[in-house]
C-alpha cells in the first residue's frame, strides 16, 4: 500500500528511517532490499503465507466486543485478539513471513534477537516448522530473567546465545545478532522482531503485521455495518503490533491512531521506556528515530515492567506518525498497566500480556464518546507474565 | 597540503594504529599518542567509545565499555586533544559511531576537529549518500576528510564513487567480519585486493581488520599503501607491564 506515511524507496519516513549501517552490512541489506517486495508479492508466497496464517497460527484472530469493559468506560470497546495466535502473540505473523522469505532466498541459517523471549520463541517455532537452523541472541541478564522462554526455544531446537556485552539486554542482543550477520553474510538470514533496524526491515515487518488491520477492517464492518472504527489503539515498544494495527488505516484519516508507550516508573523518572515522550532524535540499530540517550549520545538502558516494551528506540514510522501528528502518543506507567491487567482479567476473563495491558490505559487517558468505537489490539496473552502478576497481585 | 596527503606522498607501508580514547585509563589518550609517534606509527585512529558498537568484536567492545566507565565522551576527548598539535605531528583521525557525533552536532564536531587539529574522521555507520547530501559541505568547510570503508562485497561502481568524492584514504576492510575477527589471507581476499588495485584509485588505500603481527602487516602492505592495526593493539593496552614500553616493543615488532 502506498501512503505518505509509509517508507519511500530509501526507507525514509519523513526525516526518520534510512539504513545507517556499516559497509560490512551493506551487501546483506542491498540484497534484501532488492528482492523482498518481488518475493512477497508473488502468488506462490502469498498462498503459502496466508495458508500458514490460517491453519498454523489460527487466523483470523477474533474481533471481540468487550461488553463489560464497554459498559464501564461508556463507549464501545473491541479487542483484536492477537493473544489467541499460536505462540501467544502477534510476533508469529512476522516470523512466518520472514522465514518464507529466507527460504525463498536460499538461506540455511536463521538468527534473531530477543528481549523477553517472545520473538525468540516465535522465530524458533518458525525454524522448527521449516527445518532451518536457528540461533537466538538474548541478553545474558534476560536469559536468567526469562528462563521458561529460554527452555521453550531450546525445546524447539534453537541455540540460545547469551549476549555478554553492554548491559546484557535486548539492545545488546541486537548488536550481537548484527555482528553475527556481518560475519555470516552468505548463508544467514536475520529475522528482526520489530519495525526497527535498517531499511527494509521496518517496512517489511509492518507489511507482515498488517494482517492485523486488514482483518480489523473486514471484521469491524461485518460486526457493525459501519466502515471505520473511531479509534484503533495499540501498545508500542519497537512498535510492531502498533504498525500492524495502524497499517490499513494510515490513509483513513477519520480513524484516529493511538499508540501507548511504557513510561515505567514515570517519563521523567530515569526508569522509563517512553521514547517518544522524551523526544530525543538519533541513530540506533541502523535507523534514525526517536531514542533514549544521554548528553554524550550514549544509548540509555530503558526500563519497563514489560520486557517487550523496554527498547530504547522506536520504529521510524512511528517517529514519523508523531512528527506528522497522524497518531496520538500516550504513555502508561507500570502501575497503570498493572491496574488494567487485573481489570481486564476480572471484567472479560482474559489475562493480557503485560505489554498489551499498557494499550488499555488509553481508556483512562482519553475521553471516548458513548457512540464511538475503539479497537484495542490485545497483542499477547499473559501466561508469560504470571510471575510478575503473582508478585504484584499477591497470588502466591 | 593536508597532513594525510603529505604522509602518503612521503612514505610507503604506512602503519596506522587504532585505539580507544580513554582506555585503559581516562588520561591515557594523549600519552599513548605521543608514544605511538615516537615508536614509529605513521597515522593514528582514535576511537570514540559508544554504548552500542555493532561493527566491533569483543576486544574493542570491551575497551569502549571501560572507556565509558572511565568517563570518556566527545567533550572530554576534545578537551584532551586541545593541545595535541604541540605534541604530535602525524595525521590524526577520529573514528566512531554516528550517534555520538549526531548528538554533539555535525557542524560543532567538524569545527572542533579543525580547531584541535584532527585531519579526518571515520564514521562507519554514516551512509555514504547521507554524507554526500547532508554532511559533506560542512566537513569540507572545516577541511576535515571523511574516510569510508569498502569490503570484498563492495561493487566497483561504489568504490569509484567513494574515491571520487573523498580525499583522505580508502579503508579496505579485509573480509566480511567485525573488527579483530580473522587471521591470514585467503584467495578471495587476494582477489579483492587485486580488484581494487586495478581500479587505479586516486586515493591511497589502507587495509584493516585481522592484522596484528609483522607477518600480516608485511603481507598486506604488498597489496595497499599500508595497514591498520586495531584489536591487537587495544588488546596490548589492556595487558600488564609498563604501557609505554609495551607500545614501543609492539610497534617495533610489527615493523620488524
Amino acid at each position: 500500500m502506498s501512503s505518505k506515511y509509509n517508507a519511500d524507496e530509501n526507507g525514509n519516513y519523513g526525516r526518520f528511517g534510512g539504513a545507517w549501517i556499516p559497509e560490512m552490512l551493506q551487501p546483506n541489506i542491498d540484497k534484501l532490499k532488492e528482492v523482498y517486495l518481488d518475493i512477497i508479492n508473488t502468488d506462490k508466497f502469498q498462498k503459502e503465507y496466508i495458508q500458514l496464517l490460517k491453519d498454523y497460527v489460527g487466523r483470523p484472530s477474533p474481533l471481540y466486543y468487550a461488553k463489560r469493559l464497554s459498559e464501564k468506560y461508556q463507549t464501545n470497546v473491541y479487542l483484536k485478539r492477537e493473544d489467541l495466535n499460536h505462540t501467544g502473540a502477534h510476533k508469529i505473523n512476522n516470523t512466518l513471513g520472514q522465514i518464507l522469505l529466507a527460504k525463498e532466498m536460499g538461506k540455511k541459517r536463521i538468527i534473531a534477537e530477543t528481549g523477553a523471549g517472545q520473538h525468540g520463541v516465535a522465530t524458533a517455532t518458525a525454524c522448527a516448522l521449516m527445518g532451518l537452523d536457528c540461533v537466538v541472541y538474548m541478553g545474558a541478564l534476560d536469559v536468567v530473567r526469562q528462563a521458561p522462554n529460554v527452555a521453550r526455544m531450546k525445546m524447539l531446537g534453537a541455540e540460545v546465545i547469551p549476549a555478554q556485552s553492554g548491559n546484557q539486554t535486548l539492545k545488546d542482543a541486537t548488536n550481537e545478532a548484527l555482528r553475527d550477520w556481518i560475519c555470516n553474510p552468505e548463508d544467514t538470514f536475520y529475522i528482526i522482531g520489530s519495525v526497527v533496524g535498517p531499511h527494509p526491515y521496518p517496512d517489511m515487518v509492518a507489511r507482515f503485521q498488517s494482517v492485523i488491520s486488514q482483518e480489523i477492517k473486514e471484521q469491524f464492518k461485518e460486526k457493525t455495518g459501519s466502515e471505520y472504527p473511531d479509534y484503533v489503539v495499540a501498545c508500542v515498544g519497537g512498535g510492531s503490533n502498533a504498525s500492524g494495527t495502524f497499517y490499513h488505516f494510515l490513509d483513513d484519516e477519520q480513524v484516529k491512531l493511538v499508540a501507548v508507550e511504557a513510561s515505567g516508573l514515570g517519563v521523567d523518572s530515569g526508569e522509563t521506556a517512553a521514547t517518544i515522550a522524551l523526544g530525543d532524535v538519533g541513530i540506533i540499530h541502523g535507523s534514525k528515530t526517536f531514542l533514549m540517550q544521554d548528553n554524550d549520545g550514549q544509548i540509555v538502558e530503558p526500563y519497563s515492567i514489560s520486557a517487550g516494551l523496554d527498547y530504547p528506540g522506536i520504529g521510524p514510522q512511528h517517529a514519523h506518525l508523531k512528527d506528522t501528528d497522524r497518531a496520538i502518543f500516550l504513555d502508561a506507567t507500570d502501575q497503570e498497566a498493572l491496574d488494567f491487567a487485573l481489570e481486564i482479567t476480572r471484567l472479560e476473563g482474559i489475562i493480557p500480556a503485560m505489554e498489551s495491558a499498557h494499550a488499555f490505559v488509553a481508556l483512562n487517558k482519553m475521553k471516548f464518546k458513548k457512540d464511538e468505537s475503539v479497537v484495542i489490539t490485545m497483542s499477547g496473552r499473559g501466561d508469560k507474565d504470571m510471575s510478575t502478576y503473582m508478585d504484584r497481585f499477591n497470588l502466591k | 597540503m593536508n597532513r594525510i596527503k603529505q604522509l602518503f606522498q612521503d612514505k610507503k607501508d604506512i602503519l596506522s594504529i587504532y585505539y580507544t580514547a580513554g582506555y585503559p585509563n581516562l588520561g591515557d589518550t594523549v600519552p599513548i599518542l605521543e608514544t605511538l609517534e615516537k615508536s614509529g606509527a605513521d597515522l593514528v585512529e582514535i576511537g570514540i567509545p559508544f554504548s552500542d558498537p555493532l561493527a566491533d568484536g569483543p576486544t574493542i567492545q570491551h575497551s569502549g565499555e571501560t572507556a565509558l566507565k572511565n568517563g570518556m565522551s566527545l567533550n572530554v576527548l576534545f578537551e584532551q586533544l586541545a593541545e595535541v598539535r604541540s605534541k604530535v605531528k602525524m595525521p590524526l583521525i577520529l573514528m566512531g559511531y554516528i550517534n555520538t557525533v549526531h548528538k554533539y552536532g555535525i557542524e560543532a564536531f567538524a569545527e572542533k576537529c579543525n580547531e584541535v587539529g584532527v585531519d579526518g574522521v571515520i564514521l562507519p555507520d554514516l551512509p555514504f549518500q547521507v554524507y554526500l547530501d547532508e554532511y559533506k559541505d560542512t566537513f569540507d568547510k572545516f577541511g576535515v576528510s571523511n574516510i569510508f570503508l569498502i569490503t570484498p562485497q563492495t561493487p566497483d561502481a561504489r568504490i569509484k564513487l567513494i574515491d571520487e568524492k573523498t580525499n583522505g584514504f580508502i579503508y579496505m576492510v579485509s573480509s566480511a567480519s567485525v573488527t579483530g575477527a580473522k587471521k591470514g589471507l585467503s584467495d578471495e581476499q587476494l582477489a579483492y585486493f587485486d580488484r581494487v588495485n586495478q581500479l587505479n584509485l586516486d586515493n591511497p588505500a589502507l587495509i584493516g581488520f585481522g592484522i596484528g603481527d609483522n607477518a600480516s602487516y608485511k603481507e598486506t602492505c604488498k597489496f595497499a599503501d599500508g595497514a591498520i592495526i586495531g584489536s591487537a593493539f587495544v588488546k596490548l593496552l589492556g595487558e600488564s607491564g609498563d604501557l609505554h614500553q609495551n607500545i614501543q616493543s609492539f610497534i617495533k615488532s610489527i615493523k620488524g
Side-chain angles (χ1 to χ4, degrees), chain A residues 35 44 70 76-77 88 140 187 251 266 283 307-309 311 338 370:
Chain A
V35 304
K44 176 178 176 254
S70 297
N76 298 293
V77 180
D187 66 335
D251 290 327
I283 293 100
L309 299 181
Y311 180 68
L338 280 164
K370 208 165 172 163

Side-chain angles (χ1 to χ4, degrees), chain A residues 35 66 70 78 97 104 108 112 117 142 155 157 165 172 235 262 268 270 289-291 305 326 332 345:
Chain A
V35 304
S70 297
Y78 293 84
E104 205 57 42
K108 305 279 179 246
D142 290 333
M155 186 162 173
S165 58
D172 310 295
C235 63
D268 300 316
T289 187
F290 288 106
L291 52 68
I305 192 170
R326 175 66 187 94
T345 306

Side-chain angles (χ1 to χ4, degrees), chain A residues 303-365:
Chain A
Y303 164 78
S304 161
I305 192 170
S306 144
L309 299 181
D310 65 357
Y311 180 68
I314 187 166
Q317 182 172 43
H318 294 299
H320 183 49
L321 294 178
K322 168 67 182 176
D323 246 16
T324 53
D325 285 328
R326 175 66 187 94
I328 300 162
F329 284 83
L330 306 174
D331 48 81
T333 62
D334 288 357
Q335 194 54 52
E336 289 170 318
L338 280 164
D339 291 345
F340 262 98
L342 192 57
E343 181 166 286
I344 300 154
T345 306
R346 297 284 164 86
L347 286 178
E348 300 292 345
I350 299 169
I351 300 178
M354 204 56 250
E355 290 78 12
S356 317
H358 284 73
F360 290 80
V361 176
L363 291 171
N364 260 348
K365 302 227 160 169

Side-chain angles (χ1 to χ4, degrees), chain A residues 39-278:
Chain A
I39 293 178
I40 67 181
N41 287 329
T42 58
D43 289 344
K44 176 178 176 254
F45 183 98
Q46 283 298 322
K47 200 175 160 212
E48 200 174 351
Y49 180 51
I50 289 166
Q51 196 74 41
L52 279 174
L53 289 181
K54 181 169 175 279
D55 298 336
Y56 188 71
V57 178
R59 303 203 72 93
S61 67
L63 184 70
Y64 163 73
Y65 181 72
K67 187 159 170 287
R68 296 186 68 205
L69 206 55
S70 297
E71 275 165 12
K72 163 129 199 214
Y73 289 94
Q74 292 292 296
T75 188
N76 298 293
V77 180
Y78 293 84
L79 308 186
K80 180 57 175 165
R81 299 289 309 275
E82 294 299 300
D83 59 315
L84 294 177
N85 293 340
H86 178 45
T87 70
H90 69 290
K91 293 287 184 192
I92 191 83
N93 303 330
N94 170 48
T95 55
L96 286 175
Q98 287 198 51
I99 206 155
L100 288 177
L101 180 59
K103 247 180 60 174
E104 205 57 42
M105 289 174 74
K107 304 289 183 179
K108 305 279 179 246
R109 178 174 174 267
I110 300 296
I111 57 172
E113 84 295 337
T114 196
Q118 294 306 107
H119 173 59
V121 168
T123 303
T125 301
C127 287
L129 180 68
M130 297 293 165
L132 293 177
D133 289 343
C134 182
V135 173
V136 179
Y137 288 92
M138 186 169 188
L141 202 64
D142 290 333
V143 169
V144 176
R145 289 193 295 200
Q146 310 290 340
N149 272 341
V150 174
R152 288 168 86 192
M153 287 184 270
K154 286 183 175 169
M155 186 162 173
L156 287 158
E159 181 188 358
V160 179
I161 301 183
Q164 305 286 357
S165 58
N167 294 303
Q168 309 184 335
T169 60
L170 174 60
K171 74 181 180 72
D172 310 295
T174 307
N175 294 333
E176 287 299 335
L178 285 165
R179 287 178 191 123
D180 181 312
W181 206 26
I182 286 173
C183 295
N184 299 287
E186 300 292 331
D187 66 335
T188 298
F189 189 97
Y190 179 17
I191 297 188
I192 293 185
S194 192
V195 285
V196 301
H199 178 65
Y201 279 100
D203 181 60
M204 181 168 69
V205 176
R207 284 169 191 265
F208 288 137
Q209 291 295 358
S210 70
V211 64
I212 300 173
S213 49
Q214 188 188 319
E215 288 176 4
I216 292 173
K217 245 183 170 170
E218 291 161 11
Q219 293 165 320
F220 187 78
K221 190 167 182 192
E222 192 184 298
K223 277 207 153 45
T224 66
S226 38
E227 204 70 36
Y228 302 110
D230 299 286
Y231 296 87
V232 291
V233 185
C235 63
V236 55
S240 68
N241 95 83
S243 270
T245 303
F246 297 165
Y247 199 87
H248 289 284
F249 294 113
L250 287 170
D251 290 327
D252 300 328
E253 307 251 355
Q254 65 271 50
V255 180
K256 296 178 191 73
L257 315 176
V258 181
V260 186
E261 295 189 291
S263 60
L265 302 182
V267 172
D268 300 316
S269 67
E271 297 291 329
T272 185
T275 314
I276 293 247
L278 291 172

Side-chain angles (χ1 to χ4, degrees), chain A residues 291-302:
Chain A
L291 52 68
M292 293 168 54
Q293 60 185 341
D294 66 15
N295 290 333
D296 298 320
Q298 307 298 342
I299 308 298
V300 169
E301 190 67 19

